[in-house]
Amino acid sequence: MSIACDIPDALTAALRDARHVCVLTGAGVSAESGVPTFREAQEGLWARYRAEDLATPEAFLADPGLIWRWYRWRRDVVAGVEPNPGHYAIAALADLVPRLTLVTQNVDNLHRRAGSRDVIEFHGNLFEDRCFAEGTVHVADEADEIPACPVCGAHLRPGVVWFGEAIPERALDESCAAAADCDLFLSVGTSSLVYPAAGLADLAQRNDAVTVEINPNPTMQAERFDYALAGNSGTVLPELVKLLSP
Ligand code: BV8
């Protein structure tokens, strides 16, 4: 495994020969848009909470109003920013390789806003609400402190996957299939600490894919990747696109 920021020739060759590229992204790919990562301390009135403690069904049951306010704050943050060159590069890459599968841990919808199609939202979407009891999708009334399901009256909850909750079956199956089939796996802007998302790179490696970590702060898993590019996704990903552009 080599730590570099310029793109090694062997990786350039692997990218040019790739039949199927699988890209996994985390909060770091949205950092250059101004969205705080999970690792970064929460801001303002949320500074006294750890994101991991708020993103749980237990926290919602204990104080649904508090959790709704947190997710509304995050929606407002995301609504006030734009995708960055990293998001746009991934959207462009999809048209430069035979097949690209994009799996994101981010719930911020920025990949879609950058033009990526068929994004696998492994941990759900901030802008989708669900009935806490039935799981059905509903549009929450922004006026309500704690919106209620129009069908059964139960609380509505943000359409994200909380810690301790299962990954949506289709997202899990499609992501595992893509990781096992790809010949190049890019892990971008993730600390590789949250499972099962962090296990996808191993699955790709076990199926002989070339694996690459793109992160300005090489993670504890960096050793396990074939390449670790220690740079910002908003810089490194456009470089990869340039290498493929005619
Ligand atoms: C489950 C949605 C079971 C909500 C999220 C195995 C081992 C250990 C623990 C577990 C295990 N298996 C399961 C667990 C438990 C748990 C887990 O992994 N815990 C961790 C903390 C140890 N996993 C779960 O609970 C999962 N569910 O296992 O269910 C089950 C099975 C069947 C039936 C019932 C139950 C569900 C996990 C999903 C939780 N939801 N998000 C919300 O957003 O509110 S996770 C959330 O945190 C994000 O989605 C993301 O996944 C994670 C944060 O990680 P990152 O995205 O990587 O962000 P982070 O801030 O950590 O790092 C940012 C990185 O970017 C840094 O490395 C930084 O250097 C880099 N960076 C910064 N700037 C840039 C950059 N990179 C590039 N460019 C830049 N400019």
Side-chain angles (χ1 to χ4, degrees), residues 35-163:
V35 181
T37 68
F38 249 68
R39 247 23 52 213
E40 278 161 347
Q42 304 231 89
E43 291 156 14
L45 59 86
W46 301 105
R48 58 195 157 96
Y49 302 96
R50 280 177 357 118
E52 283 94 327
D53 300 336
L54 295 174
T56 67
E58 296 76 21
F60 184 78
L61 286 170
D63 188 343
L66 174 77
I67 303 307
W68 261 113
R69 287 193 298 281
W70 183 49
Y71 279 96
R72 285 198 170 118
W73 171 72
R74 292 176 63 191
R75 281 182 186 177
D76 295 347
V77 168
V78 168
V81 303
E82 294 301 322
N84 67 64
H87 296 108
Y88 289 114
I90 293 171
L93 207 52
D95 301 326
L96 293 166
V97 297
R99 182 177 170 205
L100 183 139
T101 303
L102 173 57
V103 183
T104 189
Q105 299 169 78
N106 302 343
V107 294
D108 59 27
N109 216 34
L110 290 174
H111 282 301
R112 281 195 195 168
R113 285 172 57 191
S116 282
R117 300 176 301 278
D118 315 323
V119 181
I120 299 177
E121 296 178 324
F122 207 70
H123 292 159
N125 190 308
L126 259 181
F127 298 91
E128 201 176 79
D129 305 316
R130 292 177 174 280
C131 169
F132 190 75
E134 305 153 322
T136 42
V137 175
H138 297 284
V139 177
D141 182 338
E142 289 305 317
D144 293 354
E145 163 76 10
I146 308 171
C149 170
V151 177
C152 73
H155 290 324
L156 289 183
R157 50 151 308 162
V160 298
V161 179
W162 282 329
F163 287 96

Side-chain angles (χ1 to χ4, degrees), residues 214-245:
I214 299 172
N215 194 318
N217 316 298
T219 70
M220 294 193 289
Q221 316 272 2
E223 293 293 324
R224 292 156 66 166
F225 287 84
D226 299 306
Y227 301 93
L229 305 180
N232 287 342
S233 50
T235 308
V236 175
L237 292 170
E239 286 298 312
L240 296 183
V241 168
K242 256 195 243 135
L243 287 171
L244 285 178
S245 305

Side-chain angles (χ1 to χ4, degrees), residues 195-210:
Y195 285 78
L200 292 171
D202 305 329
L203 189 51
Q205 192 137 63
R206 282 202 300 277
N207 287 277
D208 307 326
V210 172

